[in-house]
Coordinates of all heavy atoms in Angstrom, one line a residue:
M5 N 17.2 110.8 8.9 CA 15.8 110.5 8.4 C 15.8 110.6 6.9 O 16.4 111.5 6.3 CB 14.9 111.6 9.0 CG 13.4 111.2 8.7 SD 12.3 112.2 9.7 CE 12.0 113.6 8.6
V6 N 15.1 109.7 6.3 CA 15.0 109.6 4.8 C 13.6 109.6 4.3 O 12.7 109.0 4.9 CB 15.7 108.3 4.3 CG1 15.5 108.2 2.8 CG2 17.2 108.3 4.6
L7 N 13.3 110.5 3.3 CA 11.9 110.5 2.7 C 12.0 109.5 1.6 O 12.7 109.6 0.6 CB 11.6 111.9 2.2 CG 10.2 112.2 1.8 CD1 9.2 111.9 3.0 CD2 10.1 113.6 1.4
W8 N 11.2 108.4 1.8 CA 11.3 107.2 0.8 C 10.1 107.3 -0.1 O 9.2 106.5 0.0 CB 11.4 105.9 1.6 CG 12.1 104.9 0.9 CD1 11.6 103.8 0.2 CD2 13.6 104.7 0.9 NE1 12.7 103.1 -0.3 CE2 13.9 103.6 0.1 CE3 14.6 105.5 1.5 CZ2 15.2 103.2 -0.1 CZ3 15.9 105.1 1.2 CH2 16.2 103.9 0.4
F9 N 10.3 108.1 -1.2 CA 9.2 108.3 -2.1 C 8.6 107.0 -2.7 O 7.5 106.8 -2.9 CB 9.6 109.2 -3.3 CG 9.7 110.7 -3.0 CD1 10.7 111.2 -2.2 CD2 8.8 111.5 -3.5 CE1 10.8 112.6 -2.0 CE2 8.8 112.9 -3.3 CZ 9.8 113.4 -2.5
S10 N 9.6 106.2 -3.1 CA 9.2 105.0 -3.8 C 8.4 104.0 -3.0 O 7.9 103.0 -3.5 CB 10.5 104.3 -4.4 OG 11.4 104.1 -3.4
A11 N 8.3 104.2 -1.7 CA 7.4 103.4 -0.8 C 6.0 103.7 -0.9 O 5.1 102.9 -0.5 CB 7.9 103.4 0.6
A12 N 5.6 104.9 -1.4 CA 4.3 105.4 -1.3 C 3.2 104.5 -1.9 O 2.1 104.3 -1.4 CB 4.2 106.8 -2.0
N13 N 3.5 103.9 -3.1 CA 2.6 103.0 -3.7 C 2.6 101.6 -3.2 O 1.9 100.7 -3.7 CB 2.8 102.9 -5.2 CG 2.4 104.2 -5.9 OD1 1.7 105.0 -5.4 ND2 2.9 104.4 -7.1
R14 N 3.3 101.4 -2.1 CA 3.4 100.1 -1.5 C 3.0 100.1 0.0 O 3.5 99.3 0.8 CB 4.8 99.5 -1.7 CG 5.0 99.0 -3.1 CD 6.3 98.7 -3.5 NE 6.4 98.2 -4.9 CZ 6.2 98.9 -6.0 NH1 5.9 100.2 -5.9 NH2 6.2 98.4 -7.2
D15 N 2.2 101.1 0.3 CA 1.7 101.2 1.7 C 0.7 100.1 2.0 O -0.4 100.1 1.4 CB 1.1 102.6 1.9 CG 0.6 102.9 3.3 OD1 0.6 101.9 4.1 OD2 0.3 104.0 3.6
P16 N 1.0 99.2 2.9 CA 0.1 98.1 3.2 C -1.2 98.5 3.8 O -2.2 97.8 3.8 CB 0.9 97.2 4.2 CG 2.0 98.1 4.7 CD 2.3 99.1 3.7
E17 N -1.2 99.8 4.3 CA -2.5 100.3 4.9 C -3.4 100.8 3.8 O -4.6 101.0 4.0 CB -2.2 101.4 5.9 CG -1.6 100.9 7.2 CD -1.4 102.0 8.2 OE1 -2.0 103.1 8.1 OE2 -0.7 101.7 9.2
V18 N -2.9 101.0 2.6 CA -3.7 101.5 1.5 C -4.0 100.4 0.4 O -5.1 100.3 -0.1 CB -3.0 102.7 0.8 CG1 -3.8 103.2 -0.4 CG2 -2.8 103.8 1.8
F19 N -2.9 99.6 0.2 CA -3.0 98.6 -0.9 C -3.0 97.1 -0.3 O -2.0 96.8 0.4 CB -1.8 98.8 -1.9 CG -1.8 100.1 -2.5 CD1 -0.9 101.1 -2.0 CD2 -2.6 100.4 -3.5 CE1 -0.9 102.3 -2.6 CE2 -2.6 101.7 -4.1 CZ -1.7 102.7 -3.6
E20 N -3.9 96.3 -0.8 CA -3.9 94.9 -0.4 C -2.7 94.3 -1.2 O -2.6 94.6 -2.4 CB -5.2 94.3 -0.8 CG -5.3 92.8 -0.4 CD -6.6 92.2 -1.0 OE1 -7.7 92.8 -0.9 OE2 -6.4 91.2 -1.7
A21 N -1.9 93.4 -0.6 CA -0.8 92.8 -1.3 C 0.0 93.8 -2.1 O 0.1 93.7 -3.3 CB -1.2 91.6 -2.2
P22 N 0.6 94.8 -1.4 CA 1.2 96.0 -2.1 C 2.3 95.7 -3.0 O 2.6 96.5 -3.9 CB 1.6 96.9 -1.0 CG 1.8 96.0 0.2 CD 0.7 94.9 0.1
H23 N 3.0 94.5 -2.8 CA 4.1 94.2 -3.7 C 3.8 93.4 -4.9 O 4.6 93.1 -5.7 CB 5.2 93.5 -2.9 CG 5.7 94.4 -1.8 ND1 6.5 95.5 -2.0 CD2 5.6 94.4 -0.5 CE1 6.8 96.1 -0.9 NE2 6.2 95.4 0.1
E24 N 2.5 93.1 -5.1 CA 2.0 92.3 -6.2 C 1.6 93.3 -7.3 O 0.9 94.3 -7.1 CB 0.8 91.4 -5.9 CG 1.3 90.2 -5.2 CD 0.0 89.3 -4.8 OE1 -1.0 89.5 -5.5 OE2 0.2 88.5 -3.9
F25 N 2.0 93.0 -8.6 CA 1.5 93.8 -9.7 C 0.1 93.2 -10.1 O 0.0 92.1 -10.5 CB 2.4 93.6 -10.9 CG 1.9 94.3 -12.2 CD1 1.7 95.7 -12.2 CD2 1.6 93.6 -13.3 CE1 1.2 96.3 -13.3 CE2 1.1 94.2 -14.4 CZ 0.9 95.6 -14.4
R26 N -0.9 94.0 -9.8 CA -2.3 93.7 -10.2 C -2.8 94.7 -11.1 O -3.2 95.8 -10.7 CB -3.2 93.6 -8.9 CG -2.8 92.5 -8.0 CD -3.7 92.4 -6.8 NE -3.4 91.3 -5.9 CZ -4.0 91.1 -4.8 NH1 -5.0 91.8 -4.4 NH2 -3.6 90.1 -4.0
I27 N -2.9 94.3 -12.4 CA -3.3 95.3 -13.4 C -4.7 95.8 -13.2 O -5.1 96.9 -13.6 CB -3.0 94.8 -14.8 CG1 -2.9 95.9 -15.8 CG2 -4.0 93.7 -15.2 CD1 -2.2 95.5 -17.1
D28 N -5.6 94.9 -12.6 CA -7.0 95.2 -12.4 C -7.3 95.7 -11.0 O -8.4 95.6 -10.5 CB -7.9 94.0 -12.8 CG -7.5 92.8 -11.9 OD1 -6.5 92.9 -11.2 OD2 -8.2 91.8 -12.0
R29 N -6.3 96.2 -10.3 CA -6.5 96.7 -8.9 C -7.5 97.8 -8.8 O -7.4 98.8 -9.5 CB -5.1 97.2 -8.4 CG -5.0 97.4 -6.9 CD -3.7 98.0 -6.6 NE -2.6 97.0 -6.5 CZ -2.4 96.2 -5.5 NH1 -3.2 96.2 -4.5 NH2 -1.3 95.3 -5.6
T30 N -8.6 97.6 -8.0 CA -9.6 98.6 -7.8 C -10.0 98.5 -6.3 O -10.4 97.4 -5.9 CB -10.8 98.4 -8.7 OG1 -11.1 97.1 -8.8 CG2 -10.7 99.1 -10.0
P31 N -10.1 99.7 -5.6 CA -9.6 101.0 -6.1 C -8.1 101.0 -6.2 O -7.4 100.1 -5.6 CB -10.1 101.9 -5.0 CG -10.2 101.1 -3.8 CD -10.6 99.7 -4.2
N32 N -7.6 102.0 -6.9 CA -6.1 102.1 -7.0 C -5.7 103.5 -6.8 O -5.5 104.3 -7.8 CB -5.7 101.6 -8.4 CG -4.2 101.5 -8.6 OD1 -3.5 101.7 -7.6 ND2 -3.7 101.2 -9.8
E33 N -5.6 103.9 -5.6 CA -5.3 105.3 -5.2 C -3.8 105.5 -5.2 O -3.2 105.9 -4.2 CB -5.9 105.6 -3.8 CG -7.4 105.5 -3.8 CD -8.2 106.4 -4.7 OE1 -7.7 107.6 -4.9 OE2 -9.2 106.0 -5.2
H34 N -3.1 105.2 -6.3 CA -1.7 105.3 -6.4 C -1.2 106.8 -6.5 O -2.0 107.7 -6.8 CB -1.1 104.5 -7.5 CG -1.5 105.0 -8.9 ND1 -0.8 106.1 -9.4 CD2 -2.4 104.7 -9.8 CE1 -1.4 106.4 -10.6 NE2 -2.3 105.5 -10.8
L35 N 0.1 107.0 -6.2 CA 0.6 108.4 -6.2 C 1.6 108.6 -7.3 O 2.5 109.5 -7.2 CB 1.2 108.7 -4.8 CG 0.2 108.7 -3.6 CD1 0.9 108.7 -2.3 CD2 -0.8 109.9 -3.8
T36 N 1.6 107.7 -8.3 CA 2.6 107.8 -9.3 C 2.7 109.1 -10.0 O 3.8 109.6 -10.3 CB 2.2 106.7 -10.4 OG1 2.2 105.5 -9.7 CG2 3.3 106.7 -11.5
F37 N 1.6 109.9 -10.2 CA 1.7 111.2 -10.8 C 1.6 112.3 -9.7 O 1.3 113.5 -10.1 CB 0.5 111.3 -11.8 CG 0.7 110.4 -13.0 CD1 -0.2 109.4 -13.2 CD2 1.7 110.6 -13.9 CE1 -0.1 108.5 -14.3 CE2 1.8 109.8 -15.0 CZ 0.9 108.8 -15.2
G38 N 1.9 112.0 -8.5 CA 2.0 113.0 -7.5 C 0.6 113.2 -6.9 O -0.4 112.4 -7.1
W39 N 0.4 114.4 -6.3 CA -0.8 114.7 -5.6 C -1.0 116.2 -5.4 O 0.0 116.9 -5.3 CB -0.8 114.0 -4.2 CG -2.0 114.1 -3.4 CD1 -3.1 113.4 -3.4 CD2 -2.1 115.1 -2.3 NE1 -4.0 113.8 -2.5 CE2 -3.4 114.8 -1.8 CE3 -1.4 116.1 -1.8 CZ2 -3.9 115.6 -0.7 CZ3 -1.9 116.8 -0.7 CH2 -3.2 116.6 -0.2
G40 N -2.2 116.7 -5.3 CA -2.5 118.1 -5.0 C -2.1 119.1 -6.1 O -2.2 118.7 -7.3
I41 N -1.7 120.3 -5.8 CA -1.5 121.3 -6.8 C -0.4 121.0 -7.7 O -0.3 121.6 -8.8 CB -1.4 122.7 -6.2 CG1 -0.2 122.8 -5.2 CG2 -2.6 123.2 -5.5 CD1 0.3 124.2 -4.9
H42 N 0.6 120.2 -7.4 CA 1.7 119.8 -8.3 C 1.4 118.5 -9.0 O 2.4 117.9 -9.5 CB 3.0 119.9 -7.5 CG 3.4 121.3 -7.1 ND1 3.8 122.2 -8.1 CD2 3.4 121.9 -5.9 CE1 4.0 123.4 -7.4 NE2 3.8 123.2 -6.2
F43 N 0.2 118.0 -9.0 CA -0.1 116.8 -9.7 C 0.4 116.9 -11.1 O 0.3 118.0 -11.8 CB -1.6 116.6 -9.7 CG -2.0 115.3 -10.4 CD1 -1.9 114.1 -9.7 CD2 -2.5 115.2 -11.7 CE1 -2.3 112.9 -10.3 CE2 -2.8 114.0 -12.3 CZ -2.7 112.8 -11.6
C44 N 1.0 115.9 -11.6 CA 1.7 115.9 -12.9 C 0.8 116.5 -14.1 O -0.3 116.0 -14.4 CB 2.0 114.4 -13.3 SG 2.8 114.3 -14.9
L45 N 1.4 117.5 -14.7 CA 0.7 118.1 -15.8 C 0.6 117.2 -17.1 O -0.3 117.4 -17.9 CB 1.4 119.4 -16.2 CG 1.1 120.7 -15.5 CD1 1.9 121.8 -16.1 CD2 -0.4 121.0 -15.7
G46 N 1.5 116.3 -17.1 CA 1.6 115.4 -18.3 C 0.9 114.1 -18.1 O 1.0 113.2 -19.0
A47 N 0.1 113.9 -17.0 CA -0.5 112.6 -16.7 C -1.4 112.1 -17.8 O -1.3 110.9 -18.2 CB -1.2 112.7 -15.4
H48 N -2.2 112.9 -18.4 CA -3.1 112.5 -19.5 C -2.3 112.0 -20.7 O -2.6 111.0 -21.3 CB -4.0 113.6 -19.9 CG -5.1 113.8 -18.9 ND1 -6.0 112.9 -18.5 CD2 -5.3 114.9 -18.1 CE1 -6.8 113.4 -17.5 NE2 -6.3 114.7 -17.3
L49 N -1.2 112.8 -21.0 CA -0.4 112.4 -22.2 C 0.4 111.1 -21.9 O 0.4 110.1 -22.7 CB 0.7 113.5 -22.5 CG 1.7 113.2 -23.5 CD1 1.0 112.9 -24.9 CD2 2.7 114.3 -23.7
A50 N 0.9 111.0 -20.7 CA 1.6 109.7 -20.3 C 0.7 108.5 -20.3 O 1.1 107.5 -20.9 CB 2.2 109.9 -18.9
R51 N -0.5 108.7 -19.8 CA -1.5 107.6 -19.8 C -1.8 107.2 -21.3 O -2.0 106.0 -21.6 CB -2.8 107.9 -19.1 CG -2.5 107.9 -17.6 CD -3.8 108.1 -16.8 NE -3.6 107.8 -15.4 CZ -3.9 108.7 -14.4 NH1 -4.4 109.9 -14.7 NH2 -3.7 108.3 -13.2
A52 N -2.0 108.2 -22.1 CA -2.4 107.9 -23.5 C -1.2 107.2 -24.2 O -1.4 106.2 -25.0 CB -2.7 109.3 -24.3
E53 N 0.0 107.6 -23.9 CA 1.2 106.9 -24.5 C 1.3 105.5 -24.1 O 1.5 104.6 -24.9 CB 2.5 107.7 -24.2 CG 2.6 109.0 -24.9 CD 3.9 109.8 -24.4 OE1 4.5 109.4 -23.4 OE2 4.2 110.8 -25.1
I54 N 1.1 105.3 -22.8 CA 1.2 103.9 -22.2 C 0.1 103.0 -22.8 O 0.3 101.9 -23.2 CB 1.1 104.0 -20.7 CG1 2.4 104.7 -20.2 CG2 1.0 102.6 -20.1 CD1 2.3 105.1 -18.7
R55 N -1.2 103.6 -22.9 CA -2.3 102.8 -23.5 C -2.0 102.5 -24.9 O -2.2 101.3 -25.3 CB -3.6 103.7 -23.4 CG -4.8 102.9 -23.4 CD -6.1 103.7 -23.1 NE -6.1 104.3 -21.8 CZ -6.1 105.6 -21.5 NH1 -6.1 106.5 -22.5 NH2 -6.1 106.1 -20.3
T56 N -1.5 103.4 -25.7 CA -1.2 103.2 -27.1 C -0.1 102.1 -27.2 O -0.2 101.2 -28.0 CB -0.7 104.5 -27.8 OG1 -1.7 105.5 -27.6 CG2 -0.4 104.3 -29.3
F57 N 1.0 102.2 -26.4 CA 2.1 101.3 -26.5 C 1.6 99.8 -26.2 O 1.8 98.9 -27.0 CB 3.1 101.6 -25.4 CG 4.2 100.6 -25.3 CD1 5.2 100.5 -26.3 CD2 4.2 99.7 -24.3 CE1 6.2 99.6 -26.2 CE2 5.2 98.7 -24.2 CZ 6.2 98.7 -25.1
F58 N 0.8 99.7 -25.1 CA 0.4 98.3 -24.8 C -0.7 97.8 -25.7 O -0.7 96.6 -26.0 CB 0.0 98.2 -23.3 CG 1.1 98.1 -22.4 CD1 1.4 99.2 -21.6 CD2 1.9 97.0 -22.3 CE1 2.5 99.1 -20.7 CE2 3.0 96.9 -21.5 CZ 3.3 98.0 -20.7
G59 N -1.5 98.7 -26.2 CA -2.5 98.4 -27.3 C -1.8 97.8 -28.5 O -2.2 96.8 -29.0
E60 N -0.7 98.5 -28.9 CA 0.0 98.0 -30.1 C 0.7 96.7 -29.9 O 0.8 95.8 -30.7 CB 1.0 99.1 -30.6 CG 0.3 100.2 -31.3 CD -0.4 99.8 -32.6 OE1 0.2 99.1 -33.4 OE2 -1.6 100.1 -32.6
V61 N 1.3 96.6 -28.7 CA 2.0 95.3 -28.3 C 1.0 94.1 -28.4 O 1.3 93.1 -29.0 CB 2.6 95.4 -26.9 CG1 3.0 94.0 -26.3 CG2 3.8 96.3 -26.9
L62 N -0.2 94.3 -27.9 CA -1.2 93.3 -27.9 C -1.7 93.0 -29.3 O -1.8 91.9 -29.8 CB -2.4 93.7 -27.1 CG -2.3 93.5 -25.6 CD1 -3.5 94.1 -24.8 CD2 -2.0 92.1 -25.2
R63 N -2.0 94.1 -30.1 CA -2.5 94.0 -31.4 C -1.5 93.3 -32.4 O -1.9 92.5 -33.2 CB -2.8 95.4 -32.0 CG -3.6 95.4 -33.2 CD -3.9 96.9 -33.7 NE -2.7 97.5 -34.2 CZ -2.1 97.4 -35.3 NH1 -2.7 96.5 -36.2 NH2 -1.0 98.0 -35.7
R64 N -0.2 93.5 -32.2 CA 0.8 92.9 -33.0 C 1.3 91.6 -32.5 O 2.2 91.0 -33.1 CB 2.0 93.9 -33.2 CG 1.7 95.2 -33.8 CD 2.8 96.1 -33.9 NE 2.4 97.4 -34.3 CZ 3.2 98.3 -34.9 NH1 4.5 98.0 -35.2 NH2 2.8 99.5 -35.3
G65 N 0.8 91.2 -31.4 CA 1.2 89.9 -30.8 C 2.6 89.9 -30.4 O 3.3 88.8 -30.5
I66 N 3.1 91.0 -29.9 CA 4.5 91.1 -29.5 C 4.7 90.5 -28.0 O 3.8 90.7 -27.2 CB 5.1 92.5 -29.5 CG1 5.1 93.0 -31.0 CG2 6.4 92.6 -28.9 CD1 5.4 94.4 -31.2
R67 N 5.7 89.8 -27.8 CA 6.0 89.1 -26.5 C 7.4 89.5 -26.0 O 8.3 89.5 -26.8 CB 5.8 87.6 -26.7 CG 6.0 86.8 -25.6 CD 5.9 85.3 -26.0 NE 6.7 84.5 -25.1 CZ 6.3 84.1 -23.9 NH1 5.0 84.2 -23.6 NH2 7.0 83.4 -23.1
F68 N 7.5 89.8 -24.7 CA 8.8 90.1 -24.2 C 9.1 89.0 -23.2 O 8.4 88.6 -22.4 CB 8.7 91.4 -23.3 CG 8.4 92.6 -24.1 CD1 7.1 93.1 -24.2 CD2 9.4 93.3 -24.8 CE1 6.8 94.2 -25.0 CE2 9.1 94.4 -25.6 CZ 7.8 94.9 -25.7
E69 N 10.3 88.4 -23.5 CA 10.8 87.3 -22.6 C 12.0 87.8 -21.8 O 13.0 88.2 -22.4 CB 11.1 86.1 -23.6 CG 11.3 84.8 -22.8 CD 11.7 83.7 -23.8 OE1 11.6 83.9 -25.1 OE2 12.2 82.7 -23.4
V70 N 11.9 87.7 -20.5 CA 13.0 88.1 -19.7 C 14.1 87.1 -19.8 O 13.9 85.9 -19.6 CB 12.6 88.2 -18.2 CG1 13.8 88.6 -17.3 CG2 11.5 89.3 -18.1
M71 N 15.3 87.6 -20.2 CA 16.5 86.7 -20.5 C 17.6 86.6 -19.4 O 18.5 85.9 -19.5 CB 17.1 87.1 -21.8 CG 16.2 87.1 -23.0 SD 15.4 85.5 -23.2 CE 16.8 84.5 -23.8
G72 N 17.4 87.5 -18.4 CA 18.5 87.5 -17.3 C 18.0 88.3 -16.1 O 16.9 88.8 -16.1
E73 N 18.8 88.3 -15.1 CA 18.5 89.0 -13.9 C 18.4 90.5 -14.1 O 19.3 91.1 -14.6 CB 19.5 88.7 -12.8 CG 19.4 87.3 -12.2 CD 18.0 87.1 -11.5 OE1 17.6 87.9 -10.7 OE2 17.4 86.0 -11.8
P74 N 17.3 91.1 -13.6 CA 17.3 92.6 -13.7 C 18.2 93.2 -12.7 O 18.4 92.6 -11.6 CB 15.8 92.9 -13.4 CG 15.2 91.7 -12.8 CD 16.1 90.5 -13.0
T75 N 18.7 94.4 -13.0 CA 19.5 95.2 -12.0 C 18.7 96.4 -11.6 O 18.3 97.2 -12.5 CB 20.9 95.6 -12.6 OG1 21.4 94.5 -13.4 CG2 21.8 96.1 -11.6
R76 N 18.5 96.6 -10.3 CA 17.6 97.7 -9.9 C 18.4 99.0 -9.8 O 19.6 99.0 -9.5 CB 17.0 97.4 -8.5 CG 15.9 96.4 -8.6 CD 15.1 96.4 -7.3 NE 13.9 95.7 -7.4 CZ 12.8 96.1 -8.0 NH1 12.7 97.4 -8.4 NH2 11.7 95.4 -8.1
V77 N 17.7 100.1 -10.0 CA 18.3 101.4 -9.7 C 18.4 101.6 -8.2 O 17.4 101.2 -7.5 CB 17.3 102.5 -10.3 CG1 17.8 103.9 -9.9 CG2 17.2 102.4 -11.8
Q78 N 19.5 102.1 -7.7 CA 19.7 102.3 -6.3 C 19.3 103.8 -6.0 O 20.2 104.6 -6.2 CB 21.1 102.0 -5.8 CG 21.6 100.6 -6.1 CD 20.9 99.6 -5.1 OE1 20.9 99.8 -3.9 NE2 20.4 98.5 -5.7
H79 N 18.1 104.0 -5.7 CA 17.7 105.4 -5.5 C 16.5 105.5 -4.6 O 15.7 104.6 -4.5 CB 17.2 105.9 -6.9 CG 17.3 107.4 -7.1 ND1 16.4 108.3 -6.6 CD2 18.2 108.1 -7.7 CE1 16.7 109.5 -6.9 NE2 17.8 109.5 -7.6
N80 N 16.4 106.6 -3.8 CA 15.3 106.7 -2.8 C 14.1 107.4 -3.4 O 13.1 107.6 -2.7 CB 15.8 107.2 -1.5 CG 16.2 108.7 -1.6 OD1 16.6 109.1 -2.6 ND2 16.1 109.4 -0.5
I81 N 14.2 107.9 -4.6 CA 13.0 108.6 -5.2 C 12.5 107.8 -6.3 O 11.3 107.6 -6.5 CB 13.4 110.0 -5.7 CG1 13.8 110.9 -4.5 CG2 12.3 110.6 -6.5 CD1 14.2 112.3 -4.9
F82 N 13.3 107.2 -7.2 CA 12.8 106.5 -8.3 C 13.0 105.0 -8.1 O 14.0 104.5 -7.6 CB 13.6 106.8 -9.6 CG 13.5 108.3 -9.9 CD1 14.6 109.1 -9.7 CD2 12.3 108.8 -10.4 CE1 14.5 110.5 -10.0 CE2 12.2 110.2 -10.6 CZ 13.3 111.0 -10.5
R83 N 12.0 104.2 -8.6 CA 12.1 102.8 -8.7 C 12.3 102.5 -10.2 O 11.8 103.1 -11.1 CB 10.8 102.1 -8.3 CG 10.5 102.2 -6.8 CD 9.2 101.6 -6.5 NE 9.2 100.1 -6.7 CZ 9.5 99.3 -5.7 NH1 9.7 99.7 -4.5 NH2 9.5 98.0 -5.9
G84 N 13.2 101.5 -10.5 CA 13.4 101.2 -11.9 C 14.5 100.2 -12.0 O 15.0 99.7 -11.0
W85 N 14.9 100.0 -13.3 CA 16.0 99.1 -13.5 C 17.1 99.8 -14.4 O 16.8 100.6 -15.2 CB 15.5 97.9 -14.3 CG 14.5 97.1 -13.5 CD1 14.9 96.0 -12.7 CD2 13.1 97.2 -13.3 NE1 13.7 95.5 -12.1 CE2 12.7 96.2 -12.4 CE3 12.2 98.1 -13.9 CZ2 11.3 96.1 -12.1 CZ3 10.9 98.0 -13.5 CH2 10.5 97.0 -12.6
T86 N 18.3 99.4 -14.1 CA 19.4 99.9 -15.0 C 19.6 98.9 -16.1 O 20.0 99.3 -17.2 CB 20.7 100.1 -14.2 OG1 21.0 98.8 -13.5 CG2 20.7 101.2 -13.3
Q87 N 19.2 97.6 -15.9 CA 19.3 96.6 -16.9 C 18.2 95.6 -16.7 O 17.9 95.2 -15.6 CB 20.6 95.8 -16.7 CG 21.8 96.4 -17.5 CD 22.9 95.5 -17.6 OE1 23.1 94.6 -16.8 NE2 23.7 95.6 -18.6
L88 N 17.6 95.3 -17.9 CA 16.6 94.2 -17.9 C 16.7 93.5 -19.3 O 16.0 94.0 -20.2 CB 15.2 94.8 -17.6 CG 14.0 93.7 -17.7 CD1 14.2 92.6 -16.7 CD2 12.7 94.4 -17.5
P89 N 17.5 92.5 -19.4 CA 17.7 91.9 -20.7 C 16.4 91.1 -21.1 O 15.9 90.3 -20.4 CB 18.8 90.9 -20.5 CG 19.2 91.0 -19.1 CD 18.3 91.8 -18.3
V90 N 15.9 91.5 -22.3 CA 14.7 90.8 -22.8 C 14.9 90.4 -24.3 O 15.7 91.1 -25.0 CB 13.4 91.8 -22.7 CG1 13.0 92.0 -21.3 CG2 13.6 93.0 -23.5
R91 N 14.2 89.4 -24.7 CA 14.1 89.1 -26.1 C 12.7 89.5 -26.6 O 11.7 89.2 -25.9 CB 14.3 87.5 -26.3 CG 14.2 87.1 -27.7 CD 14.1 85.6 -27.9 NE 15.4 85.1 -27.6 CZ 15.6 83.9 -27.1 NH1 14.6 83.1 -26.8 NH2 16.8 83.4 -26.8
V92 N 12.7 90.2 -27.7 CA 11.4 90.7 -28.2 C 11.0 89.8 -29.4 O 11.8 89.6 -30.3 CB 11.5 92.1 -28.7 CG1 10.1 92.6 -29.2 CG2 12.0 93.0 -27.5
G93 N 9.8 89.2 -29.3 CA 9.4 88.3 -30.4 C 7.9 88.2 -30.5 O 7.2 89.0 -29.9
K94 N 7.5 87.3 -31.3 CA 6.0 87.1 -31.5 C 5.5 86.1 -30.5 O 6.2 85.1 -30.2 CB 5.8 86.6 -33.0 CG 5.9 87.7 -34.0 CD 4.6 88.5 -34.0 CE 4.6 89.4 -35.3 NZ 3.4 90.2 -35.3
A95 N 4.2 86.4 -30.1 CA 3.6 85.5 -29.1 C 3.3 84.1 -29.8 O 3.1 84.0 -31.0 CB 2.4 86.1 -28.6
Ligands
HEM174 C1 4.8 107.9 -16.7 C2 5.2 109.2 -16.9 C3 5.2 110.3 -15.8 C4 5.2 110.1 -14.5 C5 5.3 108.8 -13.6 C6 5.2 111.5 -13.9 C7 5.3 111.8 -12.5 C8 5.2 113.0 -12.0 C9 5.1 113.4 -10.6 C10 5.2 112.3 -9.5 C11 5.0 114.7 -10.5 C12 4.8 115.5 -9.2 C13 6.2 116.0 -8.7 C14 6.1 116.7 -7.3 O1 5.0 116.7 -6.7 O2 7.1 117.4 -7.0 C15 5.0 115.3 -11.8 C16 4.9 116.6 -12.1 C17 4.9 117.1 -13.4 N1 5.0 116.4 -14.6 FE1 5.0 114.4 -14.7 N2 5.1 112.4 -14.9 C18 5.1 111.7 -16.1 C19 5.0 112.2 -17.4 C20 5.0 113.6 -17.7 C21 4.9 114.1 -19.0 C22 4.8 113.2 -20.3 C23 4.9 115.5 -18.9 C24 4.8 116.5 -20.0 C25 4.6 116.3 -21.2 C26 5.0 115.8 -17.5 C27 5.0 117.0 -16.9 C28 5.0 117.3 -15.6 C29 5.0 118.7 -15.1 C30 5.1 120.0 -15.9 C31 5.0 118.6 -13.7 C32 5.0 119.7 -12.6 C33 3.6 120.0 -12.2 C34 3.6 121.1 -11.1 O3 4.6 121.2 -10.4 O4 2.6 121.8 -11.0 N3 5.0 114.6 -16.8 N4 5.1 114.2 -12.7

């Protein structure tokens, strides 16, 4: 038996089209920062950092262009990429 953490935010009973990235998804009851008494202590900081990062990307007109095939992390807890070649330029 395997506990597949990374499947939590893709539960089709909770999320419509769970494999689509929808930035305006509402409601969005995701479990990215955990749940209950061990809910992530740094969630507010992480959200502030992410908001600042994307705000600056938009403000400076920075554009990321995917230049090759991404390589996924093979892990049952984390989703992510070991490689994602991008070109960073101006929009
Ligand atoms: C995008 C960034 C982050 C994600 C996705 C994330 C995710 C999580 C998750 C899922 C948990 C719960 C783990 C569990 O239930 O066993 C957690 C706990 C925790 N996180 Fe984060 N985290 C992030 C950023 C941060 C930052 C920036 C800090 C501190 C500055 C932080 C500090 C903590 C701490 C101290 C806990 C343990 C809370 C407890 O057990 O009561 N995290 N995080």
Side-chain angles (χ1 to χ4, degrees):
M5 189 165 92
V6 173
L7 192 56
W8 210 260
F9 280 76
S10 53
N13 289 341
R14 285 169 176 71
D15 182 347
E17 290 184 12
V18 178
F19 302 101
E20 185 191 307
H23 297 291
E24 281 178 23
F25 174 65
R26 295 185 179 175
I27 202 162
D28 57 351
R29 194 183 279 282
T30 39
N32 188 5
E33 301 296 327
H34 68 79
L35 296 169
T36 303
F37 292 111
W39 182 83
I41 59 166
H42 291 290
F43 184 79
C44 177
L45 272 180
H48 290 294
L49 175 61
R51 285 185 168 126
E53 287 175 347
I54 293 164
R55 202 173 296 119
T56 302
F57 173 78
F58 282 108
E60 283 302 304
V61 165
L62 284 175
R63 195 178 67 78
R64 296 176 191 208
I66 293 171
R67 183 185 149 84
F68 298 95
E69 193 181 345
V70 177
M71 300 303 289
E73 283 300 311
T75 316
R76 284 195 172 277
V77 174
Q78 300 289 311
H79 206 280
N80 68 335
I81 294 181
F82 301 109
R83 290 175 71 94
W85 293 270
T86 50
Q87 270 197 332
L88 177 60
V90 292
R91 180 188 290 149
V92 182
K94 283 281 192 180

